[in-house]
Amino acid sequence: MSAHENPPHLVVVRGEPTAEELAALTAVLSARAAAARAAAEAPVPTAPASGWRDRSRGLRTRLYPGPGAWRRSLR
């Protein structure tokens, strides 16, 4: 083997697979490698913020005069 040649990625150890079998194996391995790369590059989902930590809950909404205004003033 010369210095410019790459070693084979797949080596058949036993048996004589057909060209179709080798193509199917190559397709499966390529798909799994692509899925692993996509999973590694995907952003990690973060958990939603807890309602207890939401500071906007402590602010009350704008008060409007009218029927039931006293109920809204308690929030």
Side-chain angles (χ1 to χ4, degrees):
M1 208 184 288
S2 70
H4 297 290
E5 290 183 27
N6 293 330
H9 292 289
L10 297 174
V11 178
V12 177
V13 179
R14 185 175 10 162
E16 295 179 18
T18 63
E20 291 83 15
E21 292 173 336
L22 287 176
L25 177 63
T26 304
V28 169
L29 292 178
S30 296
R32 293 210 35 156
R37 274 193 306 272
E41 294 173 359
V44 178
T46 58
S50 170
W52 291 101
R53 295 185 67 195
D54 186 11
R55 293 182 182 167
S56 68
R57 293 182 65 190
L59 303 174
R60 67 180 177 186
T61 59
R62 192 169 181 174
L63 298 177
Y64 296 101
W70 64 274
R71 288 189 183 116
R72 289 190 302 272
S73 68
L74 297 176
R75 294 184 187 172

